[in-house]
Amino acid sequence: MKVQALTLRSEMGLVGADNADNRVSGAGAMWDFDSQLEQRVLPPGVQTATPKQLRLKLTDVGPLNPPGDDNGGHPYVQLRLKILAPHRP
């Protein structure tokens, strides 16, 4: 099973994947979870045997509360991810 970043964005600065298995830092970054899965299968409702971090890096960060910002800030990072796994009946 793999997880692919479709988009990585932040209104606070530049965001990139810091530990993608394919070494891509932007859209297209991919993390491989096969080593966390027993027999390369993740049944419904079951967690992976060991955790895996998706580490992100935020650079060129602006002020945390820009002048005139009434809502106390922004989400740090927004990700759109796609899960890639073979279908097993």
Side-chain angles (χ1 to χ4, degrees), residues 1-3 21 31-52 83-88:
M1 180 176 78
K2 295 177 179 33
V3 173
D21 292 314
W31 293 269
D32 189 337
F33 283 79
D34 283 345
S35 64
Q36 277 74 27
L37 304 175
E38 293 182 25
Q39 300 178 11
R40 297 182 60 179
V41 173
L42 185 63
V46 176
Q47 296 182 359
T48 60
T50 58
K52 180 171 181 123
I83 307 298
L84 304 166
H87 179 281
R88 296 188 184 193

Side-chain angles (χ1 to χ4, degrees), residues 15-28:
V15 63
D18 196 40
N19 70 334
D21 292 314
N22 65 352
R23 299 186 181 177
V24 172
S25 63

Side-chain angles (χ1 to χ4, degrees), residues 43-86:
V46 176
Q47 296 182 359
T48 60
T50 58
K52 180 171 181 123
Q53 291 184 355
L54 278 64
R55 197 168 52 240
L56 306 173
K57 188 174 191 176
L58 193 57
T59 58
D60 295 334
V61 177
L64 295 180
N65 290 313
D69 182 8
D70 294 331
N71 69 2
H74 303 282
Y76 288 114
V77 175
Q78 296 174 345
L79 300 175
R80 216 169 111 231
L81 303 172
K82 180 187 237 181
I83 307 298
L84 304 166

